Amino acid sequence: MTFEYAPAPESRAIVSIKPKYGHFINGSFVSGKKHFPTINPATEEILSHIALGGTSDVDKAVAAAQKAYTKTWSKLSGKERGKYLYRIARILQERAREFAVLETLDNGKPIRETRDIDIPLVAAHFFYHAGWADKLDYAGLGHSPQAYGVAGQIIPWNFPLLMLAWKVAPALATGNTVVLKPAETTSLTALLFAEVCQQAELPDGVVNIVTGDGSTGAAIVNHPGIHKIAFTGSTDVGKKIARAIASTDKKATLELGGKGANIVFDDAPVDETVEGIVNGIFFNQGHVCCAGSRLILQESIAEEIIEKLKVRMSKIRVGDPLDKNTDLGAINSKEQLLKIKELSAVGDAEGADRWSPQCNLSDKGFWFAPTIFTGVTQAHRIAQEEIFGPVLSVLTFRTPQEGIDKANNTPFGLSAGIWSEKGSRIFWASQHLKAGVIWANTFNKFDPASPFGGYKESGWGREGGRHGLAAYLKNGKESGAK
Ligand code: NAI
Ligand code: MG
């Protein structure tokens, strides 16, 4: 006998969304000229209208950030800067439910994840960096490390507030001021964060938020008043940014795509591994740059793992993101859904075998059932390209070396997972994998103290931890960034 889950929707009464938003410049909201709608991808309901920032808005934001840097922020001691960061962290915790509901509405990710993962990690990033603000001299990054001035920060839609925290917290802790642009489909939590900056009485102009699209992002990248760029998003846009700043003295960290390998050896603990595979690819609808999107199974246990994985996948609850029982929410946008459908069709055409559990998907909104492709070879596009959705490509190997070779056969190098009972095998494999982040017998675990970043087309530099601080300091060593 199986039990059905009764609906358990989280109330949205806690959020109040304005019909229209402007930019947040010099401590105040200023109205925009043109606007575009932001929708709830689970229902296609228009939530609000977001301002489309142009070069003049970016100019004003950069001017405010420069003034705040020279007049206020660079004059404060690290201890004083830290106080603001602690204050922001505490307000974020106090307003956590509001942020979680708003993020779920605007992004489509389940409330279980915004409530238990995104927002707690956001607060943790501010607390962690608050602690560093007065200890930079002792961080091993050189004597009296200096901020760059104004940092331009451009973030994606998959972890909207979390990516803001990854960018804003280290920038402020190291003494920089910022101009940040959220992604076009998910600006609302960044705008609510602007209210938190006001509530924390952060000096005007230290944080500026200009909303808009790729052209707004490009205006930030090309602005002569910006000395440091921090970008998370697609490899294509990352390459454009690298070209745009090549002939300047701008520094950059680029956090780009991935095609993470989850390698399962024949001595892996089967049930835990199946749970880890599910977490690796179906967390956040698979909209995760470090997702374990290639499952690489040792041949002798492949059949058993796939069978158990299918049983487990049949229990994934897809639906209303605000329902506390939901595991897999809505795909963030129509464009992203199309991309997932297109690449999955390529998988069919190339001869891989597609399987999904039975799911009742709503006609309204953007949905895609959890999917696996077996019989995938290294030459298949679904083994090489980032699908950025709940789609897993399964490959097999016979010898450990073949497993490593297959894992490394990708233009990316962001993350990898190793499943094995033997410590010696885990150490051996992790030494031979070309990935910035490697998990052993777990997947998709994040901590502000742990540096994150990739090899090859997955980007430049590291964010988080001591390495992440270095990327915001002029003489900061060890960042690996431009
Ligand atoms: P994108 O890279 O176009 O967007 C990311 C951010 O960059 C957004 O804020 C966007 O407005 C901005 N942007 C776009 N063009 C720009 C330019 N020329 N200069 C400066 N900023 C610019 O990502 P998009 O189109 O939303 O997603 C496309 C694909 O990228 C996804 O299907 C996925 O494969 C990948 N992606 C990877 C992410 C990651 O975390 N690695 C995050 C988002 C997307
Ligand atoms: Mg939206």
Side-chain angles (χ1 to χ4, degrees):
M1 175 182 167
T2 52
F3 291 98
E4 287 301 315
Y5 281 82
E10 174 76 42
S11 164
R12 60 188 277 182
I14 195 166
V15 298
S16 71
I17 304 176
K18 298 186 184 79
K20 202 194 236 184
Y21 286 88
H23 309 292
F24 180 66
I25 297 175
N26 204 28
S28 310
F29 283 93
V30 298
S31 42
K33 286 183 205 90
K34 285 190 212 151
H35 290 80
F36 60 92
T38 189
I39 63 169
N40 175 349
T43 59
E44 298 177 55
E45 168 204 2
I46 293 180
L47 296 170
S48 183
H49 290 84
I50 305 296
L52 179 65
T55 46
S56 70
D57 302 302
V58 171
D59 284 345
K60 283 181 201 137
V62 174
Q66 277 171 328
K67 191 167 145 223
Y69 177 71
T70 41
K71 295 250 157 77
T72 331
W73 203 238
S74 64
K75 298 206 168 129
L76 290 185
S77 65
K79 188 174 155 206
E80 291 303 313
R81 289 199 309 274
K83 280 190 198 167
Y84 286 106
L85 288 167
Y86 278 120
R87 202 183 282 172
I88 290 171
R90 283 193 297 267
I91 297 172
L92 286 164
Q93 284 187 318
E94 279 162 19
R95 299 180 71 171
R97 206 157 78 86
E98 189 183 353
F99 272 103
V101 172
L102 187 63
E103 194 81 303
T104 286
L105 284 171
D106 202 18
N107 172 281
K109 64 170 79 191
I111 188 76
R112 192 170 59 81
E113 290 180 5
T114 51
R115 182 196 61 198
D116 298 348
I117 299 169
D118 293 59
I119 310 304
L121 274 174
V122 167
H125 269 269
F126 278 95
F127 277 120
Y128 173 79
H129 286 96
W132 269 123
D134 63 349
K135 301 174 194 72
L136 297 175
D137 282 347
Y138 314 102
L141 302 171
H143 177 63
S144 205
Q146 296 300 307
Y148 282 107
V150 183
Q153 309 186 313
I154 298 159
I155 57 172
W157 43 262
N158 53 341
F159 292 95
L161 192 69
L162 183 58
M163 289 302 106
L164 176 148
W166 279 33
K167 302 277 182 276
V168 173
L172 299 195
T174 48
N176 296 274
T177 57
V178 310
V179 175
L180 176 130
K181 191 197 84 67
E184 37 278 65
T185 55
T186 54
S187 302
L188 291 179
T189 47
L191 294 162
L192 187 60
F193 178 79
E195 286 181 26
V196 169
C197 293
Q198 289 178 325
Q199 197 181 339
E201 295 174 10
L202 188 71
D204 293 347
V206 172
V207 167
N208 303 275
I209 293 171
V210 181
T211 51
D213 62 9
S215 66
T216 320
I220 293 175
V221 170
N222 294 322
H223 200 289
I226 283 176
H227 306 294
K228 146 90 193 165
I229 309 285
F231 171 77
T232 299
S234 64
T235 296
D236 282 350
V237 173
K239 286 179 181 172
K240 279 188 199 165
I241 293 176
R243 277 195 290 272
I245 63 169
S247 60
T248 70
D249 64 354
K250 287 179 191 175
K251 300 286 170 194
T253 41
L254 304 175
E255 209 69 75
L256 310 177
K259 192 75 187 175
N262 216 349
I263 310 173
V264 183
F265 290 101
D266 56 7
D267 62 339
V270 172
D271 293 329
E272 289 83 348
T273 303
V274 167
E275 216 41 50
I277 295 165
V278 167
N279 182 38
I281 185 63
F282 301 122
F283 167 56
N284 201 33
Q285 295 71 246
H287 301 327
V288 182
C289 47
C290 55
S293 53
R294 285 180 305 149
L295 177 61
I296 306 191
L297 297 174
Q298 194 149 13
E299 214 172 73
S300 50
I301 51 155
E303 219 170 290
E304 184 187 0
I305 296 271
I306 290 169
E307 210 172 290
K308 290 207 164 173
L309 180 60
K310 286 181 176 174
V311 173
R312 177 63 181 82
M313 282 171 68
S314 320
K315 308 222 180 311
I316 293 175
R317 290 180 296 273
V318 185
D320 179 6
L322 273 179
D323 192 312
K324 288 170 222 160
N325 293 322
T326 293
D327 298 311
L328 198 81
I331 300 301
N332 179 255
S333 66
K334 198 178 195 170
E335 292 72 32
Q336 190 59 30
L337 179 59
L338 269 178
K339 185 182 163 189
I340 297 168
K341 284 185 173 167
E342 266 171 36
L343 271 168
S344 300
V346 168
D348 294 330
E350 286 177 324
D353 294 315
R354 184 203 288 233
W355 185 87
S356 292
Q358 190 59 44
C359 291
N360 293 324
L361 304 178
S362 163
D363 294 337
K364 273 267 169 218
F366 316 125
W367 305 96
F368 200 86
T371 299
I372 56 170
F373 278 99
T374 48
V376 177
T377 77
Q378 297 182 82
H380 286 171
R381 277 179 64 194
I382 56 166
Q384 292 292 331
E385 291 178 34
E386 185 175 48
I387 301 175
F388 222 62
V391 182
L392 179 65
S393 301
V394 186
L395 297 93
T396 57
F397 67 94
R398 286 186 182 163
T399 64
Q401 187 59 49
E402 186 194 345
I404 300 292
D405 292 345
K406 285 191 170 168
N408 286 337
N409 182 12
T410 154
F412 299 110
L414 191 54
S415 71
I418 304 166
W419 296 85
S420 167
E421 234 169 35
K422 291 192 193 67
S424 57
R425 184 170 266 180
I426 291 169
F427 283 122
W428 173 82
S430 56
Q431 276 164 4
H432 292 87
L433 284 167
K434 296 232 164 10
V437 183
I438 299 174
W439 289 288
N441 294 331
T442 188
F443 211 92
N444 273 339
K445 290 282 180 289
F446 306 97
D447 190 285
S450 171
F452 184 92
Y455 280 77
K456 300 191 277 186
E457 297 211 354
S458 292
W460 288 345
R462 296 290 177 267
E463 290 187 313
R466 218 167 50 85
H467 297 68
L469 293 174
Y472 282 95
L473 292 165
K474 265 186 201 155
N475 45 352
K477 294 169 204 148
E478 290 187 43
S479 78
K482 174 186 180 271

